[in-house]
Amino acid sequence: MSDQLDTLLSEQRRFSPASTFAADANGTPALYESAARDREAFWAEQAGTLEWIRPWDRVLDWTPPHAKWFVGGKLNVAANCLDRHLTGPLRNTAALVWEGEPGDRRVLTYWDLAREVRRAANALKQLGVRKGDRVAIYLPMVPEAAMAMLACARIGAVHSVIFGGFSAESVRDRVNDAKARVLITADGGYRRGQVVPLKRMADQAMAEAPSIEHCIVVQRRPGSPGDESFATMKEGRDHWWHRLLDSVSSESEPEAMDAEDLLFILYTSGTTGKPKGIVHTTGGYLTQVAATTKYVFDLKPADVFWCTADIGWVTGHSYVVYGPLANGATVFMYEGAPDWPERDRFWSLVETHGVTILYTAPTAIRAFMKWGTDHPARHDLSTLRLLGSVGEPINPEAWMWYQAHIGGGRCPIVDTWWQTETGGIMITPLPGVTTTKPGSATIPFPGIVAELVNDAGTVLPQGGGFLTLAAPWPGMLRTIYGDDARYQETYWSRFPGRYFAGDGAKVDEDGYWWILGRVDDVLNVAGHRIGTMEVESALVEHPAVAEAAVVGKSHDLKGQALAAFVTLKDSHQPSAGLKDDLKAHVAQKIGAIARPDDIFFSADLPKTRSGKIMRRLLKDIAEGRALGDTTTLADPAVVSRLKDTYESQEA
Ligand code: WTA
């Protein structure tokens, strides 16, 4: 981290907004001024751009650490994203432009999408789903994923979207935690030319998920109409999406939801072995995602907005579905991998669909850099006018490459810091307003109060420290599903009265934020959050493993990669075969994203006298650094032994 800090400190480049962009930008300096004058009034003004069934009585009730926004107000998220656009020209405008990995395409106008969502809402109702019930969604990136979310929102059901790359066991645990009544999945999804058998995994999950009463299956495999053989359907429980929707009417009234009614639960990794169900509610969340989409992405009617995140992550929720549709945008959605069939797939998609705004992750940008400039250079990318980055710190070289080779030197870059917990963007430039510095997420969005604190919780005007949020914001998580004590402990106990984000950061002399990454036991692997404890729990469930410690190791493309130190039971011997076995075991338990890059066998693990594994030391070893202070160790000899074996195994 100190190397990283040095590089960032020496970053002197500045990019001030082009006057042509600024002249027409949605964002203005006045937004910051009005939010600084009266934060609640600013957010109320943003909320006022939505359609409310009943106005709110109070903007905010704040009983730390519990916030209620737009108290007493009633609205429906799906009606805001769809119905209200149907009376004007948006009715016949593309809401979703989609391309599947095999190249199949669909375009849904706002009218089309609204009709499908109403039918899906009625289908859910017909299966007995009521307001407040939980519905799990385990789908590839197909239009039905957005429809399913919006259908839940329409009837007041709470969705829990589970990333399609997660394993059956991860699905089971999430479904059980939320006690979902319905699971929506697909026969499969395409990834690098292969079909990911989602329904088969869903079947395994449902075998141990007693709350599931019904499963709805989207038929995804193109070119095989009527071929339903890929998924085995269980009579009475399983229903084809297309048949179910054909059997219901397309009339449905949106449910009047309280501003604080649950909209969704989204599981994310924390510092224990058990993922946290992050709870988001209706009015505040929609207000923040709608406002940030409008100002950060500068959306205009002619734009084609492509956020490359999967719907299984918060970025997909807020900036593929809710934020853009609330703004009446045209959203482009792509199902598959960026290197399929060739490494220019993204650029071919930008050219084909005339994408104007691209929002992606540094890990992808670093892969594109490695693949070379020929791929983007072969395509006409002149429609692009704004680029975004999210999910992890973007290194200045990647920022500069993105700016030059994708943005043609003319597109502003918005590096946006936020989290599953924050619901929407928190620290970001406003294009046309904010001067950017490569590698810095710049300054808090209007109405957001971010403060840097030291270990003792003292606020620092600049320097290095921890990123905290000192005032509630509309899109904030309300709690952890079913575990409010964990909510209070995780986010509000380290620095009383403040939300602790878990990130280390630096603030420079201009007040610009440079996010340095997680300071807790959460890793960021290729932009995905993975808890070290989750991977450790998966490893120790393997019959050969006695103990395991997992650390993050710097990685050129992924940002961080997983390195696991494993001690075996006496009955097992280290071998290359066992390493492969353990990697496959983790992938099967959690999902391929958690597969460790390296596994090292070791006779002991370094522990403090109180028995805590010293992960920091392991990280030093994994990254080949000189060892830090080992005086608190129970047995310092363990470390030098470990370092020796590590180096010999690595060679
Ligand atoms: C990291 C994704 C630096 C950070 C929206 C945070 C970032 C975690 C940035 C949340 C950024 C996200 N610069 N780091 N622009 N954006 N992060 O919940 O460590 O999947 O805590 O939300 O990603 O990841 P999550």
Side-chain angles (χ1 to χ4, degrees):
M1 191 167 278
S2 63
D3 294 355
Q4 193 190 348
L5 195 61
D6 291 345
T7 334
L8 292 179
L9 280 167
S10 60
E11 178 54 59
Q12 292 301 329
R13 287 168 289 208
R14 304 279 181 277
F15 293 85
S16 43
S19 54
T20 42
F21 198 105
D24 198 30
N26 290 347
T28 58
L31 288 173
Y32 292 102
E33 291 153 23
S34 89
R37 254 195 319 275
D38 187 341
R39 218 161 33 79
E40 288 184 26
F42 168 80
W43 284 119
E45 196 182 322
Q46 302 309 319
T49 67
L50 302 175
E51 186 181 86
W52 293 78
I53 298 166
R54 183 190 184 280
W56 58 87
D57 303 316
R58 282 183 312 285
V59 175
L60 173 66
D61 273 0
W62 177 225
T63 317
H66 294 109
K68 289 187 181 146
W69 282 86
F70 309 113
V71 184
K74 289 197 186 296
L75 75 168
N76 184 280
V77 167
N80 270 283
C81 290
L82 300 168
D83 306 46
R84 69 173 169 143
H85 303 319
L86 300 181
T87 50
L90 281 177
R91 183 185 196 273
N92 304 319
T93 299
L96 273 187
V97 177
W98 173 84
E99 189 165 317
E101 195 187 69
D104 41 340
R105 290 182 191 162
R106 286 164 72 184
V107 176
L108 292 114
T109 61
Y110 270 92
W111 176 259
D112 293 329
L113 187 60
R115 178 193 63 235
E116 295 307 301
V117 167
R118 288 193 301 260
R119 296 204 305 156
N122 284 337
L124 286 171
K125 274 191 180 163
Q126 186 180 298
L127 296 179
V129 179
R130 296 286 170 262
K131 181 177 170 181
D133 289 345
R134 274 81 56 213
V135 172
I137 299 176
Y138 181 54
L139 282 173
M141 283 292 281
V142 290
E144 284 80 0
M147 291 172 197
M149 292 164 72
L150 290 158
C152 289
R154 188 168 195 88
I155 65 172
V158 178
H159 61 68
S160 163
V161 182
I162 304 168
F163 172 56
F166 276 125
S167 68
E169 291 188 27
S170 293
V171 176
R172 176 199 64 195
D173 293 346
R174 285 160 174 76
V175 164
N176 287 340
D177 188 76
K179 297 195 177 53
R181 294 183 63 190
V182 170
L183 174 64
I184 306 180
T185 187
D187 49 0
Y190 285 86
R191 191 76 191 174
R192 292 208 171 76
Q194 304 287 313
V195 177
V196 183
L198 290 170
K199 175 61 164 65
R200 275 185 216 155
M201 302 219 264
D203 284 339
Q204 285 176 35
M206 286 188 290
E208 295 173 32
S211 62
I212 295 289
E213 294 161 31
H214 294 282
C215 175
I216 307 178
V217 187
V218 173
Q219 192 175 30
R220 162 66 190 109
R221 295 196 311 140
S224 57
D227 170 13
E228 297 176 355
S229 60
F230 204 78
T232 316
M233 303 294 277
K234 186 171 163 187
E235 187 71 33
R237 184 193 68 183
D238 299 348
H239 317 266
W240 287 104
W241 169 284
H242 55 284
R243 299 220 183 129
L244 208 55
L245 264 65
D246 278 347
S247 72
V248 294
S249 94
S250 55
E251 279 164 44
S252 99
E253 277 305 304
E255 190 78 32
M257 301 298 288
D258 190 275
E260 284 298 331
D261 276 336
L262 266 61
L263 177 63
F264 66 85
I265 304 170
L266 182 59
Y267 287 84
T268 189
S269 293
T271 52
T272 73
K274 192 171 172 275
K276 307 175 278 198
I278 302 301
V279 169
H280 282 290
T281 57
T282 301
Y285 172 81
L286 193 66
T287 298
Q288 188 168 340
V289 298
T292 48
T293 306
K294 176 174 170 188
Y295 296 116
V296 176
F297 299 112
D298 191 48
L299 274 182
K300 303 281 163 51
D303 281 315
V304 176
F305 179 67
W306 182 17
C307 164
T308 68
D310 193 281
I311 221 120
W313 309 114
V314 75
T315 310
H317 285 59
S318 301
Y319 300 106
V320 175
V321 181
Y322 293 120
L325 296 179
N327 278 281
T330 295
V331 170
F332 175 68
M333 189 173 167
Y334 167 58
E335 176 187 35
D339 55 351
W340 191 267
E342 299 293 339
R343 289 174 164 179
D344 67 344
R345 183 64 182 272
F346 269 28
W347 319 123
S348 132
L349 291 168
V350 167
E351 178 172 3
T352 305
H353 298 281
V355 172
T356 60
I357 302 168
L358 177 70
Y359 187 35
T360 194
T363 187
I365 299 166
R366 290 191 297 263
F368 299 141
M369 280 174 82
K370 184 170 162 232
W371 297 343
T373 52
D374 287 358
H375 299 294
R378 269 207 302 280
H379 294 277
D380 178 2
L381 305 182
S382 62
T383 50
L384 288 173
R385 66 178 196 90
L386 177 63
L387 303 175
S389 172
V390 61
E392 49 179 319
I394 181 166
N395 37 314
E397 308 82 74
W399 196 104
M400 292 301 297
W401 187 92
Y402 195 30
Q403 210 248 4
H405 297 286
I406 306 304
R410 70 182 178 279
C411 302
I413 295 184
V414 288
D415 172 9
T416 62
W417 176 87
W418 59 293
Q419 308 181 297
T420 305
E421 292 87 342
T422 69
I425 292 170
M426 302 292 282
I427 301 182
T428 177
L430 291 188
V433 179
T434 317
T435 293
T436 53
K437 306 181 185 183
S440 168
T442 75
I443 56 173
F445 186 81
I448 299 298
V449 188
E451 285 179 350
L452 188 76
V453 300
N454 65 13
D455 213 28
T458 310
V459 176
L460 308 171
Q462 62 182 74
F466 302 104
L467 198 177
T468 68
L469 299 163
W473 63 101
M476 70 188 272
L477 78 164
R478 299 304 195 253
T479 187
I480 290 175
Y481 192 71
D483 197 350
D484 195 61
R486 187 174 178 194
Y487 164 71
Q488 305 206 25
E489 161 66 26
T490 307
Y491 303 107
W492 301 91
S493 68
R494 172 88 188 260
F495 302 110
R498 308 172 166 273
Y499 171 89
F500 174 42
D503 280 312
K506 172 186 169 283
V507 174
D508 70 16
E509 61 286 358
D510 298 324
Y512 275 41
W513 288 81
W514 303 75
I515 314 295
L516 302 175
R518 307 287 310 189
V519 293
D520 53 8
D521 292 329
V522 174
L523 304 179
N524 193 328
V525 178
H528 301 319
R529 273 167 72 165
I530 297 173
T532 52
M533 289 277 282
E534 267 176 89
V535 183
E536 288 165 8
S537 323
L539 282 167
V540 298
E541 281 176 47
H542 189 281
V545 176
E547 198 171 28
V550 170
V551 296
K553 160 179 176 171
S554 305
H555 187 279
D556 286 350
L557 291 182
K558 300 197 236 180
Q560 284 188 304
L562 296 171
F565 291 80
V566 169
T567 55
L568 294 176
K569 291 183 183 152
D570 288 346
S571 47
H572 290 79
Q573 294 306 314
S575 71
L578 183 55
K579 276 191 189 180
D580 293 343
D581 232 40
L582 292 177
K583 290 181 188 178
H585 173 79
V586 174
Q588 195 226 324
K589 287 269 161 199
I590 303 176
I593 53 168
R595 183 194 298 270
D597 272 44
D598 301 316
I599 292 201
F600 296 98
F601 295 119
S602 115
D604 323 88
L605 294 174
K607 294 197 182 135
T608 60
R609 293 193 183 98
S610 61
K612 255 187 96 176
I613 293 175
M614 297 196 67
R615 288 207 185 73
R616 198 166 34 82
L617 275 175
L618 292 175
K619 189 172 153 71
D620 284 344
I621 296 174
E623 293 184 340
R625 264 194 305 277
L627 297 177
D629 180 18
T630 57
T631 49
T632 53
L633 275 174
D635 177 8
V638 169
V639 178
S640 47
R641 271 203 304 277
L642 189 58
K643 191 169 186 313
D644 292 345
T645 31
Y646 180 91
E647 279 156 9
S648 64
Q649 285 184 41
E650 199 178 33

